[in-house]
Amino acid sequence: NAGVMQNPRHLVRRRGQEARLRCSPMKGHSHVYWYRQLPEEGLKFMVYLQKENIIDESGMPKERFSAEFPKEGPSILRIQQVVRGDSAAYFCASSLKNPGQGGVEQFFGPGTRLTVL
Amino acid sequence: SQQGEEDPQALSIQEGENATMNCSYKTSINNLQWYRQNSGRGLVHLILIRSNEREKHSGRLRVTLDTSKKSSSLLITASRAADTASYFCATDGYGNKLVFGAGTILRVKS
């Protein structure tokens, strides 16, 4: 059973370009989370999605950032018109159960390291 | 300040010694989890302790939880150079999301 897959592992973009980060959850998992990690900091929650639904986007910046988890295919985190401050590691996690049930383990992918020049 | 604060920020020990890291949090939780992150890599789940548990063991790891003090500790016994990494605690006190602290950087010297 493959773990959470993320690609690309490294992404370089120039200011103003778009960045698309992909995440395939573990087999059988329908709950996906995105987190961002700035250098020397812990992970910060961005968004929680189930298939075709955004459940909690309280950590998403108001502009330029969007996420989706379509019925078929991976979850996508999209950053439009990137700026240098978007440079960070973006991690995806998935879980089997609804986090509201408590005690739900989230399995993390290897991350995508975005560098904005 | 951020929920899930770890201390110390950095810890340097000799191989074979024990390493203790602490985590404090602010709200009620269902569970608390500890993760390890090697430099430039993803997170590896170490252990989950539920709010009704006080202590849990996994190999060389021992985690304690004191909900009255809203704190947890991670003890790594007989440390090895391969234990060198950053260690994060994460809590689920805010529902859907895990809230991470800034982490403790552990360096084990051989």
Side-chain angles (χ1 to χ4, degrees):
Chain A
N1 186 7
V4 178
M5 310 285 284
Q6 288 188 251
N7 68 81
R9 294 291 303 278
H10 299 273
L11 183 61
V12 178
R13 284 288 178 267
R14 297 192 180 280
R15 280 179 298 169
Q17 292 184 321
E18 178 180 288
R20 279 184 180 244
L21 289 62
R22 287 177 289 279
C23 168
S24 297
M26 286 183 69
K27 188 176 181 180
H29 287 195
S30 60
H31 304 272
V32 166
Y33 318 79
W34 286 93
Y35 294 82
R36 177 166 62 177
Q37 185 179 33
L38 296 171
E40 310 299 326
E41 293 188 12
L43 279 70
K44 298 235 179 2
F45 170 82
M46 298 181 76
V47 62
Y48 159 49
L49 310 101
Q50 293 181 26
K51 284 285 186 182
E52 299 184 278
N53 287 303
I54 297 173
I55 307 302
D56 180 351
E57 55 182 348
S58 57
M60 288 280 269
K62 293 288 187 285
E63 297 175 347
R64 302 188 297 106
F65 285 71
S66 62
E68 62 177 13
F69 189 17
K71 188 175 179 181
E72 301 290 338
S75 175
I76 305 287
L77 179 67
R78 182 181 176 208
I79 311 172
Q80 294 177 291
Q81 299 175 320
V82 295
V83 301
R84 288 214 174 106
D86 296 332
S87 294
Y90 292 82
F91 290 94
C92 169
S94 72
S95 69
L96 182 62
K97 295 181 183 176
N98 184 324
Q101 294 177 274
V104 174
E105 182 179 343
Q106 294 183 18
F107 295 83
F108 281 80
T112 292
R113 277 150 186 82
L114 173 66
T115 301
V116 179
L117 301 177
Chain B
S1 59
Q2 175 75 28
Q3 166 130 326
E5 299 280 349
E6 290 96 337
D7 78 270
Q9 288 186 320
L11 182 60
S12 184
I13 59 174
Q14 291 293 137
E15 205 165 27
E17 293 181 336
N18 295 342
T20 299
M21 287 159 272
N22 303 298
C23 167
S24 61
Y25 58 92
K26 293 186 175 178
T27 66
S28 298
I29 61 172
N30 291 310
N31 64 75
L32 183 146
Q33 305 182 53
W34 283 91
Y35 288 85
R36 184 185 73 224
Q37 184 180 36
N38 291 88
S39 180
R41 309 287 284 275
L43 274 78
V44 174
H45 184 264
L46 296 177
I47 199 163
L48 181 153
I49 186 165
R50 300 182 191 281
S51 59
N52 61 353
E53 297 176 310
R54 291 297 166 258
E55 188 172 308
K56 203 160 183 180
H57 297 256
S58 176
R60 294 185 295 114
L61 305 180
R62 173 178 166 250
V63 167
T64 62
L65 179 63
D66 187 335
T67 52
S68 66
K69 294 180 180 177
K70 291 187 167 59
S71 67
S72 175
S73 68
L74 170 67
L75 168 68
I76 303 174
T77 60
S79 63
R80 305 167 181 166
D83 295 328
T84 295
S86 294
Y87 291 82
F88 297 92
C89 70
T91 57
D92 68 342
Y94 290 100
N96 298 314
K97 58 192 175 190
L98 291 179
V99 179
F100 287 81
T104 293
I105 300 171
L106 173 66
R107 182 181 170 215
V108 181
K109 295 177 282 188
S110 55

